[in-house]
Amino acid sequence: MRIRRMSLWLAVLATAASSQWLNYPTAGIPRTKDGKPNLAAPAPKASDGKPDLSGVWMADGQTYFFDLAAGLKPEDVVMLPAAKALQQRHIDNEHGEDPLGRCLPHGVPRINTNGLFPFKIVQTPGLVVVLYEQLNLFRQIFTDGRKLASDVNPTWLGYSTGKWDGDTLVIETTGLNGMAWLDTQKGRPASDALHVTERFRRKNFGTLEVVATIDDPKNYAKPWTTTVQTMNLQLDTDILEFVCNENEKDIPHMVVGK
Amino acid sequence: MRTKKTSRTWWWVSKTAAALVLSISASAQWISYPTPGIPRTPDGKPNLSAPAPRTEDGKPDLSGLWQPESGGPDKQFTDIAREIKEGLPFQPWAADIVKARRAAENKDDPDGHCQPLGLVKMHLHPYPRRMVQVPGLTLILFERDTNYRQIFTDGRPLPEDPTPSFNGYSTAKWDGDTLVVQSIGFKDNLWLDISGTPLTDAAKVTERFRRPTFGKLEIDVTIDDPKAYTKPWSIRVNQLLAVDQEMLEFVCLENEKDVPHLVGK
């Protein structure tokens, strides 16, 4: 299935759903004197004094969804030969093997990057929950001081712990299953050796900046770090239910190979 | 095409049993981490009969990892009315549809097709779920297929014309120490159990959550669905705190091979 067709399909779906989007005014928005939301106001703080990342967010466009290395120089991302071959196969097969096209999870950090679908961060002391509209997924990021477990079941979304570094939440994720793709158009592979470090920083009330470091020695000669991905606060709305498998008709047509 | 599998009456029960066996044998890989904030006895054991914790606003805190008391695909998950002596007040078509579904060996159970189960059946599902209570919002995160529910406690009313969904749309208020949740906006024709007890898009579901002790959650569920039932009816679900462990990831569609075999009789 060509990527253009897939993203078009997703765009049509999103447009049709927007008239049914849940509209309820978001509480606690700082406003200017004339009542408009002041998204440049400082980021709010949680009860424990840390920046509060809670809110409904969405990636600004799909740049990193299509190409996680957008903005980097070619020499920043060095693929090992087997990885290059796998990437080429993904492209030659018209991305038909992309698990996301078969309703399987995106993996990390790709799950944050699709600017067609919002996600909701709910921050509590000890646990940060992220609810993703696309595929109706959630992540638990444990901020209770536990160390990353070793020898965990390999999973699509991994096992994540988070620590604060000043005003930045640094999230480490391991235990990924090596089946998800890192990005869509470029079809970069990710192995079960992947260790992802995400840095979430709420620059101001309305802006979240995310940077991800990919450390996957089976596929890449050295770790590489994305440029800054911007997430915009979504006001007066919420995530919808998205059940990929409901009335799913495309998969039998996604014949791999020309 | 008939297989040995479909000749069993409760083929799905065998599938779930297999999944449970798998999960028990996988327990070595279960994330074991001491649950923070559990009251413990002097010898370090969890003290689950301690009082329920409270949030800053003085309300009971329902947060925690919970699992149905029955612990398996029996009782209400198979037949939601199992504890109701007089049976359910079915509209005639609803009684007929349950008979037909049972006769077809429940081949169309949405659970077997990796669809979401809806909030009622999820209360009965044997896998754990995590409740997260913050001001204005209570979440339920389900191990089964990473489904989640949002229960809004910020005072908003139920919506006028919600988009039908598997989990409906939920708002809640505290009545003393009981969280009373109202939900509407369900997709038509959800299954409340493996038998195929129906729920229609006319349904209004009321849940009453109580945490009488640290380790116990009591949920009373009332179904008010005039399209399918002549009057409202209720069940009780008890859940127990699951300590020193974490949810696994469960992705129903991964390597899914059973669906082509679900042909019934």
Side-chain angles (χ1 to χ4, degrees), chain A residues 13-182:
Chain A
L13 214 73
T15 308
S18 64
S19 56
Q20 299 159 323
W21 222 281
L22 298 168
N23 293 320
Y24 188 79
T26 308
I29 304 275
R31 293 187 186 267
T32 57
K33 287 195 181 74
D34 52 354
K36 288 201 163 63
N38 182 8
L39 298 178
K45 296 236 182 256
S47 56
D48 59 3
K50 304 289 184 214
D52 191 349
L53 307 182
S54 300
V56 180
W57 301 96
M58 194 159 71
D60 191 36
Q62 295 181 290
T63 305
Y64 297 90
F65 179 61
F66 289 131
D67 179 0
L68 190 64
L72 293 175
K73 299 194 250 358
E75 57 267 29
D76 293 332
V77 182
V78 181
M79 295 180 81
L80 297 173
K84 260 215 148 317
L86 185 54
Q87 180 190 36
Q88 195 56 48
R89 185 181 116 183
H90 288 164
I91 292 170
D92 290 346
N93 283 332
E94 298 186 303
H95 305 84
E97 293 164 306
D98 186 352
L100 184 58
R102 294 159 192 275
C103 296
L104 292 170
H106 326 47
V108 175
R110 188 176 179 203
I111 197 172
N112 303 320
T113 62
N114 192 354
L116 290 182
F117 299 99
F119 56 90
K120 177 182 270 193
I121 298 180
V122 177
Q123 181 171 321
T124 76
L127 177 67
V128 175
V129 175
V130 190
L131 311 176
Y132 293 91
E133 180 180 296
Q134 191 177 19
L135 303 191
N136 209 246
L137 298 168
F138 66 80
R139 287 174 70 190
Q140 296 189 101
I141 298 157
F142 298 100
T143 51
D144 56 6
R146 70 180 70 185
K147 295 188 180 41
L148 275 177
S150 57
D151 193 26
V152 292
N153 278 346
T155 56
W156 291 91
L157 299 181
Y159 187 70
S160 301
T161 60
K163 272 199 180 87
W164 287 95
D165 177 13
D167 62 358
T168 300
L169 182 64
V170 181
I171 303 166
E172 309 283 355
T173 302
T174 56
L176 295 157
N177 63 13
M179 294 203 272
W181 290 16
L182 276 188

Side-chain angles (χ1 to χ4, degrees), chain B residues 237-256:
Chain B
V237 179
N238 292 321
Q239 296 182 356
L240 302 177
L241 196 69
V243 173
D244 299 343
Q245 57 175 288
E246 223 353 288
M247 293 190 285
L248 288 180
E249 184 181 271
F250 175 109
V251 175
C252 189
L253 277 181
E254 184 182 343
N255 203 32
E256 214 300 312

Side-chain angles (χ1 to χ4, degrees), chain B:
Chain B
M1 182 183 117
R2 194 186 298 213
T3 67
K4 275 207 173 124
K5 242 193 271 186
T6 57
S7 68
R8 289 191 52 163
T9 305
W10 300 113
W11 69 269
W12 200 98
V13 173
S14 68
K15 179 177 174 177
T16 314
L20 281 175
V21 166
L22 213 75
S23 63
I24 291 162
S25 64
S27 63
Q29 299 161 321
W30 219 285
I31 309 279
S32 288
Y33 185 80
T35 308
I38 302 268
R40 292 186 189 261
T41 57
D43 55 353
K45 288 198 163 67
N47 180 7
L48 299 178
S49 31
R54 294 199 174 254
T55 54
E56 272 177 15
D57 56 3
K59 299 297 179 202
D61 189 350
L62 306 179
S63 302
L65 190 67
W66 301 99
Q67 205 156 4
E69 192 172 42
S70 67
D74 61 354
K75 297 203 175 110
Q76 293 157 321
F77 189 59
T78 307
D79 174 6
I80 194 172
R82 186 179 281 252
E83 318 280 320
I84 301 176
K85 283 192 220 73
E86 63 273 22
L88 292 182
F90 284 117
Q91 299 284 5
W93 73 265
D96 289 343
I97 211 172
V98 173
K99 287 199 195 87
R101 284 170 175 171
R102 279 188 173 138
E105 298 188 335
N106 317 94
K107 67 180 176 65
D108 297 322
D109 184 348
D111 197 354
H113 295 261
C114 293
Q115 303 283 307
L117 306 187
L119 67 90
V120 178
K121 198 174 180 198
M122 280 310 303
H123 279 316
L124 313 171
H125 191 277
Y127 295 173
R129 75 285 322 280
R130 176 173 290 286
M131 289 189 71
V132 178
Q133 183 173 321
V134 300
L137 180 65
T138 295
L139 301 178
I140 311 184
L141 313 176
F142 297 99
E143 179 179 295
R144 193 257 174 200
D145 222 16
T146 66
N147 199 246
Y148 58 77
R149 270 182 77 186
Q150 297 196 83
I151 298 169
F152 296 100
T153 53
D154 57 3
R156 69 180 66 187
L158 285 170
E160 295 276 317
D161 182 26
T163 303
S165 62
F166 286 90
N167 279 333
Y169 191 79
S170 303
T171 65
K173 278 192 171 89
W174 285 97
D175 177 11
D177 279 354
T178 301
L179 184 67
V180 183
V181 183
Q182 307 275 349
S183 303
I184 59 168
F186 298 100
K187 287 173 60 67
D188 203 27
N189 199 23
L190 293 178
W191 289 35
L192 293 177
D193 54 23
I194 296 178
S195 303
T197 305
L199 193 78
T200 78
D201 56 8
K204 183 169 187 169
V205 177
T206 304
E207 299 152 282
R208 288 180 162 77
F209 288 79
R210 269 183 312 276
R211 189 173 182 172
T213 60
F214 201 96
K216 189 154 186 201
L217 195 66
E218 292 173 348
I219 311 170
D220 287 313
V221 183
T222 301
I223 311 284
D224 183 1
D225 184 358
K227 257 206 218 175
Y229 306 96
T230 56
K231 55 178 182 164
W233 51 276
S234 300
I235 57 159
R236 156 68 67 85
V237 179
N238 292 321
Q239 296 182 356
L240 302 177
L241 196 69
V243 173
D244 299 343
Q245 57 175 288
E246 223 353 288
M247 293 190 285
L248 288 180
E249 184 181 271
F250 175 109
V251 175
C252 189
L253 277 181
E254 184 182 343
N255 203 32
E256 214 300 312
K257 304 273 191 227
D258 289 324
V259 170
H261 299 288
L262 302 184
V263 295
K265 288 201 152 75

